[in-house]
Amino acid sequence: MAEPTATAATTVTDAPTTLWVERTGTRAYTGRSSRGAEVKIASQGVPGAFTPGELLKVALAACSGLSADFPLSRKLGDNFDATIRVSGDADRENEVYPQLDEIFELDLSELDEQERERLLVTVQRAIDKVCTVGRTLKAGSKVTLSFDVDTL
């Protein structure tokens, strides 16, 4: 079943975003959204492409950043810099990531110790409350797979 092709002229709507991947070569896919986004996905070592595991890690870091953005911008202003590094080695015997580690890099030098402590508690609470990716990874999720195949 082919998914609709997204265009650059796609407008913001309340309609759910449709996501899919299309095979573009041997062990290579392009992930797409109905909002026009694209990401290259391939095996380890392919230039210009993410592996699925890397996308999982990037999704976690981005979710943490987006969840923390409001409390951070309220305290630091709209132009604060932030980098969230994420890592975690795969357990290849079981094909899982047993642990993912995030490091949230922020310049809080303009705040005193109490302000820094309060802000970091607020940020942690925001991430714990609204980061859907992190909450899903911590809770686990049921995953189903079905097939839609052409037959003669």
Side-chain angles (χ1 to χ4, degrees):
M1 173 185 232
E3 292 293 336
T5 302
T7 65
T10 302
T11 58
V12 176
T13 67
D14 289 336
T17 301
T18 304
L19 303 171
W20 68 98
V21 296
E22 295 173 351
R23 187 172 189 267
T24 56
T26 303
R27 295 187 47 82
Y29 286 77
T30 296
R32 302 186 190 281
S33 86
S34 57
R35 293 192 328 267
E38 292 184 354
V39 63
K40 292 180 182 179
I41 307 161
S43 299
Q44 178 86 26
V46 174
F50 288 99
T51 68
E54 290 166 343
L55 284 175
L56 175 75
K57 294 174 197 177
V58 167
L60 175 62
C63 188
S64 293
L66 291 169
S67 299
D69 206 69
F70 181 68
L72 286 170
S73 64
R74 190 173 55 222
K75 187 69 175 176
L76 303 175
D78 287 335
N79 296 320
F80 71 91
D81 292 326
T83 300
I84 302 136
R85 299 190 189 281
V86 61
S87 61
D89 294 330
D91 170 353
R92 290 296 172 207
E93 185 176 317
N94 295 300
E95 290 300 335
V96 297
Y97 292 97
Q99 180 169 332
L100 298 175
D101 299 306
E102 294 179 279
I103 300 173
F104 207 132
E105 298 174 359
L106 291 165
D107 180 357
L108 302 181
S109 60
E110 298 296 315
L111 305 178
D112 66 36
E113 188 176 338
Q114 281 187 320
E115 288 175 311
R116 280 194 301 271
E117 213 171 282
R118 277 195 307 271
L119 180 58
L120 293 177
V121 166
T122 300
V123 166
Q124 182 69 60
R125 284 184 184 150
I127 293 169
D128 289 345
K129 183 177 180 181
V130 298
C131 177
T132 306
V133 175
R135 292 173 58 86
T136 299
L137 288 170
K138 289 174 185 174
S141 183
K142 179 181 176 182
V143 178
T144 63
L145 172 66
S146 60
F147 295 92
D148 182 2
V149 297
D150 292 331
T151 60
L152 295 176

